[in-house]
Amino acid sequence: MKCILCESYSFTHICSTCQTNLLSPSLYKRKLSNGVTVISFYNYAEIKELLFTKHTDLGFYVYNILAELSFKKFSQEFHTKEKYISLAVDDTSKSGYSHTAILNRSLKTYNIKPLYNKLRAKNSVSYSGKSKRFRQENPRDFQLKRLKSDNIILVDDIVTTGETLTQACAKIQEQGKAVSFCLTLTDVSNR
């Protein structure tokens, strides 16, 4: 097959040269309106075209590669005595897989346990390209299954206005829990 970035022959959808030269993650931080920190790994412009694959068959492979290069690397370097759980924001399967579940799965280490099907949106309206006002007027209306851990990491692919993550944090807070921090592939404000 050919690398989708450079069109060289490769055993993977993105060749190792492109993974090294074009997809090396950097850390970007931002605070949500509720004070929770969001850590992102890529500049939006660098991976924008790759993110557009998320609801296609190709997206399954692209998201696995991005997860290995960023989330997995982060989890392997995240050494704490405390145990954490990670929750993917709305890990409902679309197009045969869940892109947020792929990211979440890559966090599995001795001190991070990914959980699935815990935080789901009842409102499936698409926020893509919508304003902050639209997002506030059409909340995701999350449902959250009971959690036991107090150390929670929220996982999503993109943070734009921060409204989705803020709503998810609020739902978790209703159970008397707090989100330690959020992880995303990219923050749209990092263009």
Side-chain angles (χ1 to χ4, degrees):
M1 83 179 77
K2 288 188 174 186
C3 170
I4 62 173
L5 296 178
C6 71
E7 297 190 1
S8 296
Y9 287 103
S10 173
F11 290 111
T12 60
H13 288 80
I14 301 174
C15 71
S16 59
T17 301
C18 287
Q19 287 183 34
T20 301
N21 295 336
L22 302 176
L23 296 177
S24 292
S26 299
L27 290 182
Y28 301 92
K29 289 185 180 180
R30 130 182 193 190
K31 289 229 185 254
L32 297 173
S33 60
N34 61 7
V36 175
T37 299
V38 179
I39 300 169
S40 302
F41 298 102
Y42 294 101
N43 180 298
Y44 179 74
E46 293 172 348
I47 64 166
K48 178 180 168 182
E49 298 302 319
L50 297 175
L51 295 171
F52 292 153
T53 69
K54 77 173 150 183
H55 296 301
T56 68
D57 292 341
L58 178 60
F60 173 82
Y61 302 101
V62 168
Y63 268 74
N64 272 292
I65 290 168
L66 291 172
E68 288 287 317
L69 295 172
S70 58
F71 281 71
K72 186 169 188 168
K73 184 177 178 183
F74 175 88
S75 69
Q76 292 170 338
E77 296 175 10
F78 183 69
H79 302 292
T80 66
K81 291 179 183 177
E82 297 86 18
K83 302 290 185 190
Y84 286 79
I85 62 166
S86 58
L87 300 176
V89 172
D90 199 22
D91 58 357
T92 304
S93 292
K94 296 175 181 139
S95 306
Y97 69 96
S98 166
H99 57 284
T100 56
I102 289 171
L103 300 174
N104 193 27
R105 182 187 68 221
S106 66
L107 289 172
K108 185 177 181 180
T109 56
Y110 74 95
N111 64 333
I112 302 175
K113 179 182 179 182
L115 298 180
Y116 306 95
N117 304 318
K118 291 284 189 181
L119 182 65
R120 295 283 177 93
K122 289 192 273 184
N123 180 353
S124 61
V125 65
S126 173
Y127 280 0
S128 182
K130 302 293 194 285
S131 69
K132 184 170 186 166
R133 182 176 177 180
F134 176 86
R135 294 164 191 246
Q136 290 171 332
E137 291 173 354
N138 297 279
R140 300 298 299 269
D141 195 17
F142 285 110
Q143 285 185 303
L144 178 66
K145 293 180 182 172
R146 185 65 58 209
L147 301 174
K148 294 179 183 175
S149 178
D150 288 326
N151 299 320
I152 301 166
I153 302 168
L154 270 183
V155 174
D156 205 353
D157 62 336
I158 303 169
V159 59
T160 308
T161 64
E163 193 59 33
T164 297
L165 291 172
T166 301
Q167 290 174 28
C169 288
K171 182 52 84 173
I172 290 167
Q173 197 170 24
E174 287 177 13
Q175 281 192 17
K177 310 284 184 184
V179 173
S180 300
F181 58 92
C182 304
L183 292 175
T184 66
L185 278 174
T186 188
D187 183 336
V188 173
S189 65
N190 294 322
R191 290 178 181 233

